[in-house]
Amino acid sequence: MVKITAHFDRIFYYLFFPLVAIIETYCALNASYIAIIGGTSFYFFAALILIIQTFLVLIKKIPYYYSAVGILLLLLCLWNTHGFAFFNYLKCVALIPAIFLSLPGLKSWQQKQKYSNALKIGLIVSLITLAATQHHELAKLKNYYSTLHNGETWQQFGAL
């Protein structure tokens, strides 16, 4: 039983970091495209904050009180775009990966491997949810721009 658990942990470790990097790269590219064609730039800054927070938490192993800065920055960005009603918007999905990145810094969560693996799985699921939300926002923006067609192909997706 110990060999199976150790083997699962090794496979999970080697698959976790590339999977997180791929999903965050997709989110950053998708957010860049949304910002370029005239959508909100919140997703771009959220992806940038999450990439920096991931690097600092998972690779540099900074203390937990510094890892919570990502949550505070995302809350500040949400408050800046929507005021005090920001929890009503779909964009607060970006807070979930930041929370999953902040929890491993707590001492009580670090000591148990079961909690650590659950947090890693939760991080992957929350990043997939963020990517799906961004994809939905991009599709909605493309549908809006397709109704404004006036004969120019460069205006179809809101390019200047």
Side-chain angles (χ1 to χ4, degrees):
M1 185 68 178
V2 174
K3 286 185 178 184
I4 294 173
T5 307
H7 184 65
F8 174 74
D9 287 340
R10 190 176 326 121
I11 291 173
F12 186 71
Y13 179 78
Y14 286 122
L15 290 177
F16 174 71
F17 290 113
L19 188 60
V20 168
I22 288 169
I23 296 171
E24 284 186 346
T25 303
Y26 173 77
C27 287
L29 292 174
N30 202 8
S32 300
Y33 186 61
I34 290 173
I36 286 171
I37 67 170
T40 181
S41 61
F42 169 76
Y43 288 121
F44 176 74
F45 290 114
L48 185 67
I49 289 169
L50 287 174
I51 287 171
I52 292 170
Q53 188 180 11
T54 301
F55 174 75
L56 292 176
V57 170
L58 296 178
I59 297 173
K60 290 290 187 178
K61 304 285 186 186
I62 61 169
Y64 73 93
Y65 45 85
Y66 292 125
S67 66
V69 172
I71 297 173
L72 295 175
L73 288 174
L74 286 172
L75 282 172
L76 184 67
C77 288
L78 280 170
W79 179 74
N80 188 29
T81 57
H82 299 295
F84 288 107
F86 61 83
F87 281 119
N88 294 336
Y89 292 94
L90 198 57
K91 293 177 185 153
C92 59
V93 170
L95 291 172
I96 299 170
I99 291 170
F100 277 112
L101 284 169
S102 297
L103 286 178
L106 298 173
K107 298 274 188 238
S108 60
W109 289 80
Q110 284 180 349
Q111 294 172 351
K112 296 187 178 178
Q113 186 68 24
K114 186 177 11 175
Y115 291 151
S116 177
N117 288 340
L119 286 175
K120 289 176 183 176
I121 291 171
L123 175 64
I124 290 172
V125 169
S126 64
L127 284 173
I128 290 172
T129 306
L130 177 63
T133 304
Q134 285 182 351
H135 182 74
H136 171 72
E137 291 281 329
L138 181 62
K140 192 165 66 169
L141 193 62
K142 282 183 177 181
N143 287 336
Y144 170 73
Y145 282 128
S146 68
T147 63
L148 301 177
H149 185 68
N150 62 2
E152 298 291 332
T153 57
W154 59 272
Q155 290 177 344
Q156 186 177 5
F157 295 115
L160 296 176

